[in-house]
């Protein structure tokens, strides 16, 4: 009888007791190694589960606290007028009790999607994340967990918050979520667990951050952040309010080309020159009025004000201020930036190698429309008392036009 080669091999194995035992031993050894592998993988995840459980209990405790119960605490009394003194800006208080008039839902803001044009930088970050996950199989590897943010960029819209966030994400000790979570203004009812789940995983010693520019101008946000953690560090990126309003309008018009002209939206009555403060593009730039609300809950030394203009002209200098404010080593500096004349703002580059710098996408650096110089001058006059008060409250002159 003829045998196939496979049948012959099986016959040899089955006819040899020694080889047969060796075959069974190999199978058992393989199963044993696999079981040890599974046990090591399970044990390495236990610290993360314990940290998550602890954070969960902490978050549940915070959720039970009613933000409305928190009583305002006036800090830096020298920065705020006594409530018994007459304030020339107080006549505008009723405007802040109502929702601002806007022509565009900010949910559609491309900036809220997390800056799609930074794909390569994010790819590198994902690679780092994968390396960290892989290290969990090593007993000496770092443990990661999701934490509530210790620092938040709270504003302002069209001030340069996206650029600042991406510059900060280069720092190895900062982990920040790209998309704006809008927790304290739109999703607060979902609870702190939902918010914490939006955050990236961090290692011991790393800072968790997020940015949502609408926080600065939303009435309930200061009390809510204070309830989460009164030690939260807050960063505000401010810009000449007139230029900021025009940039805001330019973004809106790029999505809705048929909207009215800037001039018609900025005035209640063009003839009398009365500014329409219910338009959000105008209202956001009244920085001093919004800051008064924040200083009721946070001391001034917990807020850092970054100049949007200097973030363009001297990004390394402003980044030094931010890193010092956050208590971080100065990692991000001049070597990380390259100014792009065509776009009009700095782009990120790797300190080593000859790779092409990465710039913010086409949604940034749009060309502003030509606005009637008389309208611009009237807006500057309107913002003058707000700017003056803002300089006094922050202790810093941002140089936005004359006070005369």
């Amino acid at each position: 009888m003829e045998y196939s080669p496979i049948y012959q091999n099986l016959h040899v194995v089955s006819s040899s007791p020694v080889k047969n035992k060796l075959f069974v031993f190999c199978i058992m050894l393989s199963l044993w190694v696999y079981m040890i592998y599974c046990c090591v993988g399970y044990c390495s995840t236990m610290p993360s589960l314990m940290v998550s459980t602890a954070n969960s209990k902490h978050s549940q405790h915070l959720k039970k606290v009613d933000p409305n119960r928190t009583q305002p605490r006036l800090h830096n009394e020298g920065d705020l007028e006594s409530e018994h003194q007459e304030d020339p800006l107080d006549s505008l208080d009723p405007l802040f009790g109502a929702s601002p008039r806007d022509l565009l839902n900010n949910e559609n803001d491309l900036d809220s999607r997390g800056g799609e044009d930074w794909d390569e930088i994010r790819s590198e970050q994902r690679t780092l994340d994968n390396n960290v996950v892989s290290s969990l199989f090593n007993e000496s590897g770092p443990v990661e967990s999701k934490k509530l943010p210790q620092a938040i960029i709270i504003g302002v819209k069209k001030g340069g918050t996206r650029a600042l966030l991406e510059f900060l994400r280069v720092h190895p000790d900062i982990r920040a979520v790209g998309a704006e979570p809008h927790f304290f203004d739109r999703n607060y009812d979902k609870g702190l667990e939902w918010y914490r789940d939006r955050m990236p995983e961090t290692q011991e010693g790393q800072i968790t951050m997020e940015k949502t520019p609408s926080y600065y101008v939303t009435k309930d946000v200061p009390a809510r952040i204070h309830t989460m953690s009164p030690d939260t560090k807050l960063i505000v990126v401010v810009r000449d309010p007139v230029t900021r309003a025009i940039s805001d309008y330019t973004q809106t018009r790029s999505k809705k080309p048929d909207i009215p002209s800037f001039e018609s939206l900025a005035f209640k009555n063009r003839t009398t020159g009365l500014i329409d403060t219910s338009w959000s593009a105008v209202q956001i730039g009244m920085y001093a009025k919004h800051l008064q609300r924040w200083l009721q809950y946070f001391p001034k030394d917990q807020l850092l004000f970054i100049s949007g203009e200097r973030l363009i002209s001297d990004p390394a200098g402003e980044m030094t201020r931010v890193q010092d404010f956050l208590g971080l080593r100065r990692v991000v500096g001049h070597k990380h930036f390259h100014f792009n004349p065509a776009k009009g703002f700095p782009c990120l580059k790797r300190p080593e190698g000859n790779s092409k710098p990465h710039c913010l996408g086409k949604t940034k650096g749009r060309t502003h429309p030509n606005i009637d110089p008389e309208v611009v001058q009237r807006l500057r006059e309107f913002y003058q008392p707000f700017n003056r008060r803002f300089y006094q409250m922050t202790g810093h002159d941002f140089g936005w036009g004359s006070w005369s």
Side-chain angles (χ1 to χ4, degrees), residues 137-150:
F137 289 100
N138 187 331
E139 292 183 1
S140 62
V143 175
E144 291 199 341
S145 62
K146 292 187 176 184
K147 302 180 181 69
L148 293 169
Q150 298 101 318

Side-chain angles (χ1 to χ4, degrees), residues 174-228:
I174 291 179
R175 297 294 301 278
V177 59
E180 297 167 8
H182 284 281
F183 173 65
F184 294 103
D185 58 348
R186 299 177 189 166
N187 298 301
Y188 195 62
D189 60 330
K190 295 181 179 178
L192 285 171
E193 278 301 312
W194 179 91
Y195 183 46
R196 187 168 67 90
D197 194 51
R198 307 275 84 75
M199 297 299 110
E201 292 188 340
T202 55
Q203 301 174 23
E204 184 67 27
Q206 289 183 321
I207 292 178
T208 302
M209 291 189 66
E210 69 116 321
K211 76 106 176 172
T212 302
S214 55
Y215 287 167
Y216 187 69
V217 299
T218 304
K219 181 179 179 180
D220 296 329
V221 170
R224 290 172 173 177
I225 294 180
H226 184 272
T227 299
M228 177 190 73

Side-chain angles (χ1 to χ4, degrees), residues 47-159:
S48 177
L49 292 174
M50 293 171 65
V51 172
S52 298
T53 302
N55 285 337
S56 175
K57 292 181 180 178
H58 175 66
S59 300
Q60 289 173 3
H61 170 72
L62 288 177
K63 284 198 292 183
K64 295 178 182 178
V65 180
D66 183 2
N68 296 324
R69 184 174 62 83
T70 304
Q71 297 299 320
R73 298 203 316 266
L74 290 181
H75 296 281
N76 305 296
E77 296 177 357
D79 295 326
L80 291 176
E81 299 289 346
S82 169
E83 59 183 357
H84 298 294
Q85 292 179 319
E86 184 177 350
D87 189 340
L89 304 183
D90 284 344
S91 60
L92 291 171
D93 278 341
L95 296 173
F96 286 78
S99 298
R101 177 174 63 86
D102 207 341
L103 299 175
L104 189 67
N105 186 336
N106 287 339
E107 289 285 6
N108 297 325
D109 189 346
L110 287 176
D111 200 43
S112 298
R113 301 181 198 167
E116 296 88 338
D117 299 285
W118 297 74
D119 290 338
E120 184 167 336
I121 293 177
R122 292 183 178 183
S123 176
E124 294 174 356
Q125 188 65 54
R126 284 193 295 270
T127 300
L128 175 61
D129 294 344
N130 292 335
N131 291 338
V132 172
V133 172
S134 298
S135 68
L136 289 177
F137 289 100
N138 187 331
E139 292 183 1
S140 62
V143 175
E144 291 199 341
S145 62
K146 292 187 176 184
K147 302 180 181 69
L148 293 169
Q150 298 101 318
I152 304 176
I153 301 175
I154 59 175
V156 300
K157 181 183 179 186
K158 306 310 296 178

Side-chain angles (χ1 to χ4, degrees), residues 76 79 152-156 159 164 216 233-239 287-288 290-292 294-295 298-311 317-319 321-322 325 389-398 400:
N76 305 296
D79 295 326
I152 304 176
I153 301 175
I154 59 175
V156 300
L164 176 61
Y216 187 69
K233 293 188 176 183
L234 308 168
I235 301 176
V236 188
V237 188
V238 288
R239 182 183 183 187
Y287 301 139
H290 306 298
L291 181 55
Q292 283 181 329
W294 285 94
L295 290 178
F298 295 92
K300 190 170 64 175
D301 59 6
Q302 272 181 237
L303 288 95
L304 177 68
F305 297 89
I306 293 296
S307 167
E309 288 83 9
R310 280 194 291 275
L311 196 59
E318 290 300 276
M319 285 302 300
R321 295 183 60 225
V322 177
F325 173 70
R389 172 65 68 84
F390 188 66
Y391 297 166
Q392 293 171 347
M393 296 171 75
T394 61
H396 187 77
D397 185 344
F398 289 88
W400 299 323

